[in-house]
Amino acid sequence: YREKNRWSYEACLALSERHEAINQITVAHELAQKGRLEALGGAAYLSHLVAQVPTSVHVEHYAQIVNRLSIMRRLIAAGGQIAAIGYEAGPDPDASLGRAEDILYGLRRGQEQRDFVHIREVLDKYFEESSLAPRGDGYLPHIPTDFIDMDKILGGLQRSDMVVLAARPSLGKTSLALNIARNAAVGHGAKVAIFSLEMSRMDLAYRLLASESGVDIQRVRLDDLTEMQRDAVVNATGVLSESPIWVDDSPVLRDTDMRSKARRLHHEKGLDLIVVDYIQLIRTNRPFDSPVQRMTEISYAVKSLAR
């Protein structure tokens, strides 16, 4: 926030990246090399900084203070940006709300504006998220479908990917999608959100119950069950009730609504997989000249959400 302190930190960072010692003399030399030492206040100002923080014992506490104040300053800046969106008074209020939400979501998630990064940072990210790095229980670098051949081809469902499941009508796309959602949630603990635009939440529940219990769906719907089938359905209900699956069956769903709901769920519960049934039913407030343009825009919105 203060330019002189930023220069000092940048000098420390440069020394660290070169694996050189960091102390008052080396930092002063680094600043002098960059022509900043005198503007900063000379060696006297560095002595002042050293005197302000005489020990590194509580360094984590100091860093938390810096981080907290940084968030507050970014919150102030975000408030100004959101106010500017309001003063623009754009013709599409949903688009304006979406932009405002993007600003707050980016702040909450600690996201900075994207720019060029060195390949080392990308590889570090790979190491952190791959099986090469130790992970706590429950972490899923990718989402298994438990359909062995599909997992071999796709390597599981990769984070940030949009996977389109396409086929002619009545070939079982919804059943396959629900089975993938069930396998991920029940078998691996993945947190799954299902947007069902065509089917009600009860119809969805019937399908999941029938699949989990192995009982014909018509018998489940009509409650026409033998004693053995009833036991199977009860057991299936217990398994599914404990699984991290959330269902939204809003019949009218816009791309902005879906993004907002998914982000809120992700913040509150965490989210590993989103299933949309089906993408052609998603609406948008923007007019289009052709169905192709509309599907292109909706596909872009879904891919953006996945990213």
Side-chain angles (χ1 to χ4, degrees):
Y1 177 68
R2 294 181 178 172
E3 190 173 44
K4 293 193 294 185
N5 292 348
R6 191 185 315 129
W7 289 347
S8 302
Y9 181 76
E10 287 172 354
C12 294
L13 198 60
L15 291 167
S16 174
E17 288 176 347
R18 298 201 301 268
H19 304 288
E20 297 180 16
I22 299 174
N23 55 52
Q24 189 173 340
I25 303 229
T26 57
V27 172
H29 179 71
E30 181 73 19
L31 288 165
Q33 290 261 349
K34 295 182 177 179
R36 290 176 170 175
L37 184 60
E38 293 305 317
L40 178 135
Y45 184 71
L46 293 179
S47 297
H48 167 71
L49 290 180
V50 171
Q52 288 291 324
V53 187
T55 173
S56 60
V57 171
H58 303 295
V59 64
E60 184 175 349
H61 174 70
Y62 303 148
Q64 288 172 351
I65 293 174
V66 173
N67 182 59
R68 177 172 56 83
L69 294 177
S70 173
I71 292 173
M72 293 302 106
R73 291 191 180 102
R74 281 186 284 151
L75 185 59
I76 292 169
Q81 292 172 336
I82 291 172
I85 292 172
Y87 283 118
E88 285 175 9
D92 186 349
D94 289 309
S96 298
L97 286 170
R99 288 169 59 195
E101 191 175 62
D102 287 344
I103 292 170
L104 281 177
Y105 182 78
L107 180 63
R108 185 182 291 280
R109 303 297 298 175
Q111 294 174 345
E112 301 293 340
Q113 185 175 359
R114 294 219 171 204
D115 206 337
F116 286 111
V117 296
H118 192 272
I119 188 64
R120 180 180 62 248
E121 296 182 40
V122 181
L123 294 174
D124 287 346
K125 185 74 172 175
Y126 162 74
F127 181 84
E128 290 171 6
E129 295 186 352
S130 72
S131 59
L132 300 174
R135 281 286 177 178
D137 292 338
Y139 177 76
L140 296 172
H142 58 269
I143 313 303
T145 69
D146 282 355
F147 290 96
I148 296 173
D149 290 341
M150 188 184 299
D151 282 338
K152 282 182 180 178
I153 294 171
L154 299 177
L157 303 178
Q158 302 297 321
R159 297 184 182 276
S160 85
D161 277 0
M162 179 182 77
V163 179
V164 179
L165 175 57
R168 294 192 304 275
S170 301
L171 288 183
K173 296 185 294 296
T174 299
S175 295
L176 177 56
L178 290 181
N179 279 327
I180 290 172
R182 178 268 169 207
N183 293 347
V186 176
H188 302 277
K191 299 175 180 65
V192 180
I194 301 175
F195 288 102
S196 179
L197 287 83
E198 186 181 36
M199 195 179 300
S200 73
R201 64 184 69 177
M202 280 309 304
D203 285 335
L204 212 63
Y206 289 143
R207 285 198 177 218
L208 286 169
L209 273 176
S211 177
E212 186 68 26
S213 65
V215 178
D216 182 77
I217 189 170
Q218 287 300 104
R219 286 185 170 273
V220 174
R221 284 178 189 274
L222 300 174
D223 196 24
D224 180 20
L225 304 171
T226 65
E227 194 66 32
M228 186 178 297
Q229 289 172 336
R230 192 172 299 280
D231 290 343
V233 170
V234 169
N235 290 334
T237 301
V239 170
L240 292 171
S241 297
E242 296 298 318
S243 65
I245 298 175
W246 288 268
V247 179
D248 184 296
D249 65 348
S250 304
V252 178
L253 187 72
R254 293 167 299 188
D255 52 351
T256 51
D257 297 332
M258 184 172 64
R259 181 176 61 182
S260 177
K261 290 179 178 183
R263 282 179 169 176
R264 187 166 62 248
L265 180 60
H266 183 50
H267 173 65
E268 294 173 357
K269 305 293 185 182
L271 197 53
D272 298 303
L273 174 65
I274 299 174
V275 177
V276 182
D277 183 31
Y278 54 91
I279 193 171
Q280 289 96 323
L281 293 179
I282 297 174
R283 297 191 181 185
T284 177
N285 290 330
R286 294 170 292 281
F288 297 103
D289 296 331
S290 71
V292 173
Q293 288 181 339
R294 178 177 170 276
M295 277 308 304
T296 299
E297 182 69 18
I298 291 173
S299 298
Y300 173 79
V302 174
K303 176 60 179 177
S304 178
L305 174 59
R307 288 288 304 275

